[in-house]
Amino acid sequence: MVGTVHPVGKTYEGGAPLAEVVRSGFVEGVHRGSVVVLDATGATVAGAGDVTSPVFPRSANKPMQAVGMLRAGLPLTDPADLALVSASHAGEEFHLARVGALLARAGLAESALHCPPDLPVGEAARAAVLRAGGGPSRIQMNCSGKHSGMLLTCGAAGWARDGYWRPEHPLQQRLRDAIEEFTGERAAAVGVDGCGAPVLAVSLTGLAGAYLRLVSAEPGSVPRTVADAMRAHPELVGGTEADDTRLMRGIPGLLAKVGAEGVIAAALPGVGAVAVKIDDGAGRARMPVLVSALRRLGVAAPVLTEYAELPLFGGGVPVGAVRPLW
């Protein structure tokens, strides 16, 4: 239940074999991990590995962080802006233009962002920057939308922007409250995410439950506003070819968000929710496993067929695939 906070186990025990790497008919590798499937009531109906001990969901925590920002006074009403605040964007031109507009709205320069300079995570966007002779910048970093939202929230709440990324800052305390509320768990650990902001450890069961609560919230409520914004603007959440973007485009009503180190969470109102963690962090394994999990909930769509097995190439032609074992 939302608002009921309980502790989780101390140490993630590691997962089960979830996907295999098959090349020329020979199994050359196996990806282990954990996955949980919840039905529309939030009950666990399937799972593998350790789904009750804490992991770092990384950027899959962003929708809950966006809820915390809105509750603290984030002055954004355009759903596209809210989608970008919840995003791990690909650094495409339309992403950068919108982040720039958010900073300009607050009268801030790019240097106000604490996220580190980086090249775009999107392959096409990164190649375009390099062809033009460009290099890393803070605004290109995939979390710059979230950091812009954090700065805007601090301004609206009257909090100091200096140190806004520190766990003890009032902003981060509010974001922690939101994550703990929606997962129903106390954060088992606080780490430093790739962008320099805090990342909180919760279980996969808690993460899946949080996504189900977001999509099941009352229309017009803050959590539903975030979920609706992300689903209305999936290209801003990821990018033109991002996995979570393509999933939300292909399955009406689905909320999905990837996280680093092989994490993805998704929920469909009235159907259920899924959370996946691949132990070795391989992004190539999480999508086939997610497809297997969504199919257990009866979800069917052409985009799932595209992701059911990911091809392996040899000499420029397909010679195998990464496919689910679970």
Side-chain angles (χ1 to χ4, degrees):
M1 174 183 291
V2 173
T4 301
V5 180
H6 56 84
V8 294
K10 299 274 186 196
T11 305
Y12 177 62
E13 296 179 356
L18 294 183
E20 62 182 3
V21 183
V22 181
R23 181 178 297 274
S24 303
F26 180 81
V27 178
E28 66 172 346
V30 173
H31 293 288
R32 302 177 67 89
S34 299
V35 53
V36 66
V37 183
L38 309 182
D39 66 16
T41 71
T44 300
V45 294
D50 183 0
V51 301
T52 59
S53 296
V55 299
F56 282 139
R58 305 294 295 273
S59 286
N61 278 343
K62 283 178 177 173
M64 290 89 80
Q65 291 174 313
V67 169
M69 288 185 230
L70 279 176
R71 287 176 171 175
L74 176 64
L76 296 180
T77 56
D78 186 336
D81 288 334
L82 293 176
L84 189 65
V85 168
S86 310
S88 299
H89 66 72
E92 296 172 80
E93 285 298 326
F94 61 91
H95 296 126
L96 306 186
R98 190 167 286 273
V99 174
L102 290 178
L103 291 172
R105 174 174 179 161
L108 297 172
E110 181 179 336
S111 58
L113 297 169
H114 180 65
C115 53
D118 203 355
L119 289 168
V121 296
E123 292 183 11
R126 185 189 312 118
V129 169
L130 295 174
R131 279 196 307 269
S137 68
R138 295 182 188 276
I139 201 170
Q140 291 175 156
M141 201 273 169
N142 71 91
C143 298
S144 64
K146 178 182 77 173
H147 280 256
S148 297
M150 290 178 175
L151 288 166
L152 284 165
T153 303
C154 288
W159 296 325
R161 292 191 174 106
D162 183 45
Y164 73 87
W165 60 89
R166 301 188 188 283
E168 64 272 16
H169 192 283
L171 168 70
Q172 300 301 335
Q173 291 297 308
R174 294 292 187 91
L175 305 194
R176 177 173 182 151
D177 289 344
I179 290 172
E180 291 185 337
E181 175 188 341
F182 279 86
T183 61
E185 298 175 358
R186 295 198 183 280
V190 181
V192 181
D193 212 335
C195 66
V199 59
L200 306 183
V202 296
S203 75
L204 290 176
T205 300
L207 181 64
Y211 274 60
L212 189 59
R213 293 177 181 110
L214 288 168
V215 299
S216 304
E218 287 295 319
S221 65
V222 169
R224 181 65 175 271
T225 296
V226 170
D228 287 350
M230 294 174 68
R231 292 180 290 184
H233 298 278
E235 73 285 349
L236 288 169
V237 174
T240 304
E241 295 300 324
D243 293 339
D244 41 15
T245 294
R246 294 184 63 202
L247 282 171
M248 288 189 281
R249 281 179 181 158
I251 305 174
L254 184 78
L255 176 68
K257 182 71 187 71
V258 300
E261 296 299 321
V263 174
I264 189 166
L268 195 59
V271 176
V274 173
V276 176
K277 162 68 178 172
I278 303 301
D279 288 353
D280 62 9
R284 68 179 183 178
R286 67 185 165 198
M287 294 303 292
V289 175
L290 179 75
V291 169
S292 177
L294 288 173
R295 284 176 169 170
R296 289 170 184 252
L297 290 171
V299 180
V303 69
L304 296 186
T305 301
E306 295 176 32
Y307 279 115
E309 294 187 359
L310 298 187
L312 294 177
F313 293 89
V317 298
V319 296
V322 180
R323 62 192 188 192
L325 288 170
W326 180 80

